[in-house]
Each structure stands twice: as C-alpha cells, then as structure tokens.
Amino acid sequence: MAVHKILVDVMLKPEILDPQGQAVANALPNLGYPSPVGLRIGRHVELALEAADADAALEQATKIADTLLANPVIEDYTVRLA
Amino acid sequence: MAVHKILVDVMLKPEILDPQGQAVANALPNLGYPSPVGLRIGRHVELALEAADADAALEQATKIADTLLANPVIEDYTVRLA
C-alpha cells in the first residue's frame, strides 16, 4: 500500500450559469484588465489516498468525486494522478 | 490576437488550516471509504483571454491571479495553459 496523490477538478456544466465567475469577469475591466472571453470558477481538490496501486487509487477517487466532491446533476469533474 | 485558454489553481498554503477539506475528509469514513491521508480543497479557474501569443496570455493571467483570484498572503496559485 502506497500513498497516491490525486487531483480532482470540479466545474459547473457549461450550460449552468456561474455567478461567481461572472462577478470576477465583470470586475476585471474595473481593475484595468481587458474583459476576458470566458471565466468560470470551480473547485480543485488535492487528495492523498492509500491504495495498492495508482489504478486502484484513481478508481477510489472517482467514486469519492461522484458521491461527495461533485454534484453530477450540475457539475462535471476530472480525476487525474498528480 | 487569438484566444488562449488558461487554468489557474488556487490552494491555501500548506500551513493554513483548511476546514472545508477537513470536513470532507471526516465525512469519508461515514460513507464507507477509508480515511484519506490528505484532502485539501481550493479553487479551479478556467480563463479564456485574448492575447498576441501564449506567453502574453500567461503573463496577463498571472497578474489577474495575483490581484484578483488568489490572496497571496494565505494562498498559492499555479497558472498553466489548458
């Protein structure tokens, strides 16, 4: 059993409005930056799991992402080794 | 001028407590998962910027991350091309 580091990124699905990202996008011109073409904000999760191998760790992280880290109705997630 | 996609990950510095991540870590055993070795939650930002080239886009995204997306006192961030 070794410790594997895994990164999970959770984003709202493209068709779901992102008010947090919109607020930041609207603030940029006021700070002297050009308006961005797109800006969406999600969650970035760094997980360290004890597992037999990397595949087992990825499988477990995917289950965790699906049940606890993301809401699959409105969010997409990606799971990868760090 | 082309549109460049850039990803910014913002995490609390390692020495800063992460109550959100701790809450999720504590919930995992109740859901039948083994306790994780580590679990920290940050923000994942997807930016699309118009810039002359990728280097200019990265430079602009780094400035935006430093002034608006992250609080450099308590957070670290990474900026990379998508």
Side-chain angles (χ1 to χ4, degrees):
Chain A
M1 301 282 273
V3 174
H4 300 269
K5 284 197 75 176
I6 290 164
L7 305 178
V8 181
D9 290 323
V10 182
M11 295 298 290
L12 286 167
K13 288 180 194 266
E15 64 269 27
I16 307 282
L17 284 177
D18 171 20
Q20 189 188 6
Q22 199 55 53
V24 172
N26 292 343
L28 284 175
N30 299 333
L31 292 169
Y33 297 107
S35 206
V37 178
L39 195 161
R40 290 176 74 82
I41 300 182
R43 290 190 297 291
H44 177 73
V45 184
E46 294 184 0
L47 262 170
L49 295 176
E50 216 163 39
D53 56 32
D55 281 348
L58 275 176
E59 194 188 330
Q60 194 179 85
T62 304
K63 277 189 205 159
I64 290 171
D66 205 64
T67 52
L68 196 62
L69 301 178
N71 175 353
V73 177
I74 58 166
E75 292 172 326
D76 291 324
Y77 59 86
T78 59
V79 179
R80 68 185 195 278
L81 286 169
Chain B
M1 300 283 272
V3 174
H4 299 270
K5 284 197 75 177
I6 290 164
L7 305 178
V8 181
D9 290 323
V10 182
M11 296 296 292
L12 286 168
K13 286 181 195 266
E15 64 269 28
I16 308 283
L17 284 177
D18 172 18
Q20 189 187 6
Q22 201 54 54
V24 171
N26 292 343
L28 284 174
N30 299 333
L31 291 169
Y33 297 106
S35 207
V37 178
L39 194 162
R40 290 177 76 81
I41 301 183
R43 290 190 298 291
H44 176 73
V45 184
E46 294 185 359
L47 262 171
L49 295 176
E50 217 165 36
D53 55 33
D55 281 347
L58 274 175
E59 194 187 328
Q60 193 179 86
T62 304
K63 277 189 205 159
I64 291 171
D66 204 63
T67 52
L68 196 62
L69 301 179
N71 175 354
V73 177
I74 58 166
E75 292 172 325
D76 291 324
Y77 59 87
T78 59
V79 179
R80 69 185 194 279
L81 286 170

